């Protein structure tokens, strides 16, 4: 049995058929399998044993100078071909004239026996012409490969800037490698996938391979049911908790590997704040603590930063998930994210500018200190409601709203709010509908848009609230009192 051929040099291979198809060379295959083989090198040798000088993947050219001593000896040529195959040569080229007028029959038989393609080189074609043709073809292939990689890099970078960057990058990657790409969780769950999915056996192997790259190595490969699988570990977070990129293709191409590496880097940046369930949970818990629990208990965890901005974000289109929230956090420059509620909540240092983000509607609070973070949370929520109602990508809290509210102590205000709104306090739906309706100056249509319900539903809820409160909501004084109460409920 011949040994497995060693891997060829890291250069684009030239198909043997491309050389045979060139009329200027005049090559003709006379033995060996018809299937195409890749040529990585050209080597000329008239030694009886060229094996020590072969790397693997060569087109070995010979004029058969040493064959004369073994004319008619099938055993000699059999050993020569066997050794050439063991060395990993891709094909054998035999030059006609000046030594031999025809290719020895024993050489043809040996190449057929060992499955080595045998190509006749006509007298008019010097071996240097064959070598030059190979190098030219390699240079052209390398140029095509670099152009393909460059175009893929630009395409993937553009996908990373889309509103849904993670699935967009996976879709582009699957297109560029003509295969399947998936982001797989530490537990083997496919978080996102794009492209034509492989067979079930290969898909199951993809999950196992994704787990194999945690914590090392950076990548791993396998072949299952004729499918080439490669898994790439993404950077950031605990190795046991970070997701992995898995790519499945019918072939394994160096350019594909380079393109997939680019995608892995982009996905690492996009999912950086999403560092796994444990760290994401800690981050969300910290945000919740700061926005709901006594701030003095958690503020020291944030370091010396004295002022903050709270952002509420609502995804336009599909509901937000942890990876989409992480991508938004990356764009805004924060890892303090709570993505478990209907809207995503983020906490940013006040010196960072908050700008509109594609695919999101944002509500931004004013600048608040650690002790005022709950108020900042309410400001951001109100700003988000206004942004949704106005169909604006971003709305900011409007300052200078203390006014009359500053004349009443917080305890008195909360007591008044509980008493005034007691008939509807147990119905979060009625409270939120009334709050939104009043904030939008009684507009049925804008309230329906903000709450994502039909305008008749808004009318029914407001009528129900008015009946339970036993009040006239057309009275501006009543609206003012209810708005004051709702701010403290």
């Amino acid at each position: 049995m011949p040994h497995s051929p060693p891997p060829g040099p890291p250069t684009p291979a030239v198909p043997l058929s491309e050389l045979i198809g060139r009329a200027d060379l005049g090559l003709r295959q006379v033995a060996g399998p018809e299937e195409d083989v890749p040529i990585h090198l050209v080597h000329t040798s008239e030694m009886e044993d060229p094996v020590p000088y072969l790397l693997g993947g060569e087109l070995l050219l010979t004029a058969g100078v040493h064959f004369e001593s073994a004319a008619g000896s099938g055993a000699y040529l059999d050993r020569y071909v066997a050794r050439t195959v063991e060395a990993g040569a891709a094909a054998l080229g035999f030059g006609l004239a000046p030594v031999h007028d025809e290719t020895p029959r024993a050489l043809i038989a040996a190449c057929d026996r060992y499955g080595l393609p045998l190509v006749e080189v006509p007298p008019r074609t010097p071996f240097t012409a064959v070598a030059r043709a190979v190098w030219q073809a390699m240079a052209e292939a390398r140029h095509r490969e670099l152009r393909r990689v460059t175009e893929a890099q630009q395409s993937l970078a553009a996908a990373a800037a889309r509103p849904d960057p993670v699935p967009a990058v996976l879709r582009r990657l699957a297109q560029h490698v003509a295969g399947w790409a998936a982001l797989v969780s530490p537990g083997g769950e496919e978080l996102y996938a794009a492209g034509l999915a492989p067979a079930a056996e290969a898909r199951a192997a993809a999950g196992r391979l994704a787990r194999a790259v945690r914590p090392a190595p950076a990548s791993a490969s396998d072949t299952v049911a004729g499918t080439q699988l490669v898994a790439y570990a993404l950077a950031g977070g605990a190795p046991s908790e970070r997701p992995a990129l898995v790519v499945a293709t019918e072939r394994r191409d160096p350019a594909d590997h380079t393109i997939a590496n680019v995608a892995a880097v982009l996905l690492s940046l996009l999912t950086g704040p999403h560092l796994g369930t444990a760290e994401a949970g800690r981050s969300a818990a910290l945000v919740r603590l700061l926005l709901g629990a006594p701030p003095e208990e958690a503020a020291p965890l944030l370091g010396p930063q004295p002022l903050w901005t709270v952002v509420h974000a609502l995804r336009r289109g599909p509901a937000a998930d942890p990876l989409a929230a992480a991508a938004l956090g990356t764009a805004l420059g924060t890892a303090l994210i709570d993505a478990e509620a209907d809207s995503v909540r983020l906490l940013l240092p006040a010196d960072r500018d908050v700008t509109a983000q594609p695919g999101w509607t944002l509500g931004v609070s004013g600048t608040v200190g650690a002790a005022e973070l709950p108020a900042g949370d309410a400001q951001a929520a109100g700003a988000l409601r206004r942004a949704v109602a106005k169909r604006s990508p971003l709305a900011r809290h409007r300052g200078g709203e203390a006014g009359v509210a500053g004349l009443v102590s917080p305890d008195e205000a909360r007591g008044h709010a509980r008493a005034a709104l007691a008939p509807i306090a147990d119905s979060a739906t009625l409270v939120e509908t009334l709050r939104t309706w009043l904030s939008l100056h009684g507009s049925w249509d804008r309230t329906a848009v903000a709450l994502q319900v039909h305008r008749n539903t808004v009318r029914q809820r407001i009528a129900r609230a008015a009946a339970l409160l036993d009040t006239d909501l057309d009275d501006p004084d009543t609206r003012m009192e209810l708005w004051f109460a709702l701010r403290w409920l």
Side-chain angles (χ1 to χ4, degrees):
M1 284 289 291
H3 299 298
S4 297
T11 56
V14 178
L16 179 60
S17 61
E18 183 175 330
L19 298 177
I20 295 175
R22 289 186 53 158
D24 60 324
L25 295 179
L27 305 182
R28 183 171 70 96
Q29 184 172 349
V30 296
E34 293 296 329
E35 60 264 20
D36 213 353
V37 293
I39 304 298
H40 290 275
L41 294 166
V42 175
H43 180 66
T44 300
S45 175
E46 299 300 339
M47 300 182 65
E48 294 185 8
D49 185 9
V51 169
Y53 303 95
L54 298 180
L55 296 175
E58 294 93 347
L59 170 59
L60 176 61
L61 298 176
T62 180
V65 174
H66 57 95
F67 290 1
E68 285 190 322
S69 61
S73 173
Y76 175 84
L77 293 177
D78 188 276
R79 287 194 302 272
Y80 177 80
V81 172
R83 289 283 289 160
T84 301
V85 172
E86 287 181 5
L92 179 65
F94 186 78
L96 298 178
V99 181
H100 298 272
D101 293 331
E102 62 179 15
T103 304
R105 295 186 178 277
L107 182 62
I108 294 175
C111 287
D112 281 331
R113 186 160 45 250
Y114 288 100
L116 180 67
L118 176 61
V119 177
E120 276 187 352
V121 183
R124 64 179 176 82
T125 303
F127 286 174
T128 53
V130 178
R132 183 173 57 202
V134 170
W135 294 122
Q136 287 175 345
M138 283 183 174
E140 293 171 359
R142 181 61 174 165
H143 179 71
R144 290 194 300 268
E145 182 181 89
L146 290 175
R147 184 171 57 196
R148 178 178 169 229
V149 169
T150 300
E151 291 173 352
Q153 288 176 332
Q154 295 172 345
S155 175
L156 290 169
R162 291 178 61 83
D164 297 316
V166 174
V169 168
L170 289 174
R171 286 194 297 270
R172 291 287 178 85
L173 175 59
Q175 292 170 1
H176 284 297
V177 301
W180 177 75
L183 198 63
V184 182
S185 73
E189 176 190 2
E190 293 175 11
L191 303 175
Y192 293 101
L196 182 61
E201 182 182 359
R203 203 162 181 172
R208 295 192 296 269
L209 197 63
R211 292 191 292 271
V213 295
R214 304 180 184 93
S219 64
S221 61
D222 194 7
T223 302
V224 177
T227 301
Q228 309 287 334
L229 297 170
V230 185
Y232 302 84
L234 300 188
S240 61
E241 297 183 349
R242 73 184 83 163
L245 169 65
V246 179
V247 179
T249 57
E250 293 183 356
R251 68 188 192 285
R252 187 168 296 163
D253 184 277
D256 290 343
H257 183 63
T258 302
I259 293 169
N261 269 307
V262 172
V265 171
L266 289 172
L267 291 170
S268 294
L269 294 174
L270 291 171
T271 61
H274 180 65
L275 303 179
T277 54
E279 292 200 25
R282 284 193 290 270
S283 176
L286 177 60
V287 174
R288 290 175 183 175
L289 179 63
L290 288 172
L291 299 180
E296 61 273 10
E297 296 181 8
L301 299 175
L302 296 178
Q305 174 63 41
L307 297 176
W308 299 89
T309 300
V310 183
V311 177
H312 281 213
L314 186 66
R315 195 180 187 191
R316 297 195 293 271
D321 53 43
L323 285 177
L328 176 64
T330 300
L332 295 179
T334 182
L336 297 176
I337 306 166
D338 177 12
E340 298 302 324
D342 292 337
S343 61
V344 178
R345 301 193 296 179
L346 307 97
L347 195 58
L348 291 79
D351 58 356
R352 294 183 186 169
D353 187 30
V354 180
T355 59
Q357 300 296 318
W360 293 88
T361 300
L362 305 182
V364 184
S365 76
T367 299
V368 295
E372 290 79 37
L373 281 170
D377 186 38
Q379 293 173 7
L384 178 61
R385 287 194 295 270
R386 287 204 320 276
V388 171
K390 295 180 179 179
R391 300 185 182 183
S392 172
L394 184 147
R396 301 182 186 274
H397 171 67
R398 295 176 293 205
E401 296 179 351
V404 177
L407 302 176
V408 182
S409 70
D411 290 340
E412 291 177 329
R414 280 190 286 269
H416 171 74
R418 286 193 294 269
L421 298 170
I424 65 171
D426 292 336
S427 174
T429 299
L430 291 181
V431 169
E432 185 62 19
T433 301
L434 180 60
R435 188 197 310 274
T436 304
W437 184 73
L438 290 174
S439 73
L440 297 173
H441 311 292
S443 170
W444 306 109
D445 292 331
R446 291 167 64 189
T447 303
V449 171
L451 297 177
Q452 296 182 329
V453 297
H454 195 275
R455 67 194 307 271
N456 289 340
T457 302
V458 176
R459 288 183 177 276
Q460 293 169 3
R461 291 179 183 176
I462 294 300
R464 176 64 176 163
L468 291 174
L469 293 170
D470 191 20
T471 189
D472 180 10
L473 293 181
D474 291 329
D475 185 344
D477 290 336
T478 300
R479 290 192 184 190
M480 182 187 69
E481 290 186 10
L482 289 175
W483 178 248
F484 176 88
L486 285 165
R487 293 182 62 187
W488 289 98
L489 186 62

